[in-house]
Amino acid sequence: MAFRTNYRFERRERDRLKQAKKEEKLRKQQERKAVQQDEPSPPDESSPPEAEGNAPSDGNSQPGA
């Protein structure tokens, strides 16, 4: 055997790499979130105008008649 295994060192290196990977992932998420907040989002077209309460729900009802 050329050298003794240093389990504590190997464990510290694995933990250090895991932490670096987590920090990089978190940084990328924060960057994406910041970019999304900066650019204006288009209005959501999936919601029908009836959901807002501005348009009548059926064509037969008329205000004033």
Side-chain angles (χ1 to χ4, degrees):
M1 187 162 48
F3 59 89
R4 287 180 66 184
T5 53
N6 190 343
Y7 294 110
R8 288 182 183 168
F9 173 77
E10 291 173 2
R11 179 66 181 191
R12 282 194 312 265
E13 282 297 302
R14 285 194 306 267
D15 290 343
R16 183 184 62 80
L17 291 174
K18 283 182 193 178
Q19 187 66 27
K21 188 175 181 180
K22 285 181 184 180
E23 289 173 358
E24 180 69 18
K25 184 178 178 181
L26 181 62
R27 185 184 61 80
K28 285 183 181 182
Q29 284 179 344
Q30 290 172 345
E31 286 177 0
R32 275 188 260 125
K33 188 176 181 180
V35 168
Q36 287 176 353
Q37 288 177 350
D38 288 344
E39 62 187 36
S41 61
D44 189 15
E45 296 179 14
S46 64
S47 64
E50 293 87 27
E52 295 174 4
N54 294 338
S57 59
D58 57 6
N60 297 334
S61 64
Q62 295 179 358

